[in-house]
Amino acid sequence: MAASRDRDRPPPETCHDRRAQGPAMAVRRCLYLALVLACAAVPLALLGRALGAGGWTVAEGLIWALALVVSPWIATLGASALVGFAVLMAGRDPLAVVWPEARLDPDRPIGIRTAILLCIRNEDTRAVLARIRPLLFALDAQGVGERFALFVLSDTRDPAHAAEEEAAFAAFRATLPWPDRTAYRRRESNEGFKAGNVMEFVRARSAGFEAMITLDADSVMTADAVLRLVRLIEQNPRVALIQTLIAAQPTAAAFPRLFQFGMRHGMRAYAAGIAWWQGADGPYWGHNAIIRIAPFRDHAALPALPDGASILSHDQVEAALLRGAGWEVRLDPLEQGSYEANPPSLLAFMRRDLRWMAGNLQYLALLRLPLFSWMGRVQLVLAILLFLWSPVVVAIALAALANALDADPRAAVALGPGLAATALFALLFFAPKLLGALEVALKPALRRRWGGGATLAAGVAAEFLFYLLLVPLSALNQTVGMAGLALGRRIGWAPQTREDRRVPLADAARALWWHTLAGVGLLAGFALAGTTAFLWALPFLAGAALAIPYCVLTADPAFGRRLAAARLAAIPEELDPASPFPPLLSAPARAA
């Protein structure tokens, strides 16, 4: 028994020993913290100067206090993006900058066996298996197919859908030259959701496999990306998990097309930044990652919540548990062959957003558990703040409206410092996208992959407008959803909408009428306060006022086809003939 436990601990004295990395990582984190504090302090100081110009009102004091609460999180976005931009501009493989001691010999034969876990629930199984098929054949073509096996793990409950699922898998398996490398299993019980299914596999069916790659139903990975992950985890024995940088797949649907364009730039800069300062305490995003099975089995079982509910957002908790047990969790910031799909419409995005929010807010009940390192708790706090900022900024907007309507002379705001503070906060918030796009613009070869400077600039402008309109909608939706959770509403982990669908006007109006009323009401209030107040609020509230036409337009297949035809917001895979994805098709979209 003792020998078995020793095998499941991180190997002791290796060149990857975290004690050897301690001083260097401490310096990195001190520099990063100083940058965060500076990014937060400057706009806060300007805001205080603007609000206190004529004296302080209660509303102004509330505005500044709320800004003090949310500014450190906004500063982490800007600081991580600045660091990531520097990493990307260093001219080397980003992994060599953020993880210089990593071993990666691309010619070393693969010695471990890896299970590829494909997790599904109420999916179009034929489409899901069609996406995984090229990976299996590519691995076999490179002579390493026998080192991998595919396991389809289903949580489908509906008997009719389950029968279709099993038939689709049987048909898929019959077409493979090596059917023994695939297996399918459906659970009758959904205990623990996807995390429960994966843990059940690890405990009962993983014999003979040292590692596993977790995939969602919409995941696509190239063989090169998979082999890079396997070699990294095999050659770095202290690492329990390596997360890839995930990009979105090409699409002609307008909403995910515009959304993914900005996320592609933003995640590249942000991921490189957090990989630099988090080091061996990196994140897990739930899929497109490789995991060492033994430590995951022994340390990553999810703790119970005080109310008995299952943890919905399992990934960051599992990563924190592994870090707390002494294992390394790494993020590979190289943009290479790891993809997912995004929700096809605003309504699907908002439903997914509320599910993620409910899962991340559960972390509040876990922070005091002795299972996590301090960096594990930092990761959980950052995941909470990803949603907790929304009610704070909504409260700031309401306090700003009250102050703008106040006739008290003390309510006067100095225009120059106020605009400067607003601009700095906005730049920090949008820094990941802006600096990611700037990196592309400054590198000629990369710029050509994105269609050239003019195409890139047009895409950045279109996505910026798209996202500026999306932010207030998302903030309002999260705030009301959070209030519902506080009042006892339960948000489950329902299947996601993945197919491109048109959203009829009536459906958009039924779902978004209150967002529209809130946006129009707030803008009307600022208009009563004066032209300056209205113009200040307009960029931040227009999205809520235009929620219904915004939803309908961005789900309109004709609009999406026009964007694709003009190559507006095109990603490199769309423009590359050697892309692992087929050319974009103009199939008619169904109504939601």
Side-chain angles (χ1 to χ4, degrees), residues 28-40 71-89 94 97-98 245 265-279 281-283 285 331 333 375 378-379 382-383 385-386 427-436 439:
R28 286 189 184 188
R29 289 173 179 169
C30 286
L31 291 173
Y32 176 76
L33 179 60
L35 183 57
V36 168
L37 293 175
C39 288
S71 60
W73 178 76
I74 296 176
T76 64
L77 297 179
S80 294
L82 286 167
V83 171
F85 177 75
V87 169
L88 294 174
M89 294 301 295
V97 179
V98 303
L245 177 57
H265 294 304
M267 284 305 296
R268 190 171 60 254
Y270 181 74
I274 64 173
W276 183 83
W277 71 266
Q278 291 180 3
D281 299 284
W285 297 328
L331 170 60
M375 267 301 296
V378 167
Q379 289 279 17
L382 289 175
L385 291 175
L386 185 63
L427 282 173
L428 290 170
F429 184 79
F430 288 106
K433 295 171 182 287
L434 297 175
L435 289 173
E439 183 236 347

Side-chain angles (χ1 to χ4, degrees), residues 159-208:
H161 195 113
E164 295 177 3
E165 193 173 86
E166 292 177 18
F169 177 80
F172 168 77
R173 195 171 190 264
T175 66
L176 300 177
W178 8 258
D180 55 315
R181 297 180 195 167
T182 64
Y184 166 89
R185 181 180 179 278
R186 183 175 70 89
R187 294 196 302 168
E188 295 294 335
S189 166
N190 289 138
E191 183 180 356
F193 306 112
K194 171 187 168 183
N197 207 342
V198 170
M199 184 56 76
E200 188 171 322
F201 166 85
V202 165
R203 287 174 171 168
R205 309 177 65 209
S206 64

Side-chain angles (χ1 to χ4, degrees), residues 39 43 70-71 74-75 77-78 81 389 393 418-435 464 467-468 471 536 539-540:
C39 288
V70 78
S71 60
I74 296 176
L77 297 179
W389 74 275
V393 297
L419 290 177
T422 301
L424 280 176
F425 277 127
L427 282 173
L428 290 170
F429 184 79
F430 288 106
K433 295 171 182 287
L434 297 175
L435 289 173
F464 184 82
Y467 195 68
L468 191 63
V471 168
W536 174 85
F540 307 108

Side-chain angles (χ1 to χ4, degrees), residues 43 59 75 95 127 133 180 182 223 225 229 253 257 289-290 292 307 375 386 413 434 496 508 530-531 537 541 551 576:
L95 187 67
R133 184 184 181 91
D180 55 315
T182 64
L229 282 181
R257 181 183 183 86
I290 192 166
R292 197 181 300 275
D307 62 357
M375 267 301 296
L386 185 63
V413 176
L434 297 175
Q496 298 188 42
T531 303
L541 295 173
C551 176
D576 183 4

Side-chain angles (χ1 to χ4, degrees), residues 245-299:
L245 177 57
I246 309 171
Q249 302 168 26
T251 179
F255 185 90
R257 181 183 183 86
L258 290 164
F259 183 82
Q260 73 187 21
F261 185 87
M263 284 293 292
R264 182 75 170 263
H265 294 304
M267 284 305 296
R268 190 171 60 254
Y270 181 74
I274 64 173
W276 183 83
W277 71 266
Q278 291 180 3
D281 299 284
Y284 175 38
W285 297 328
H287 56 98
N288 294 40
I290 192 166
I291 302 172
R292 197 181 300 275
I293 287 176
F296 188 87
R297 178 192 62 228
D298 294 342
H299 305 295

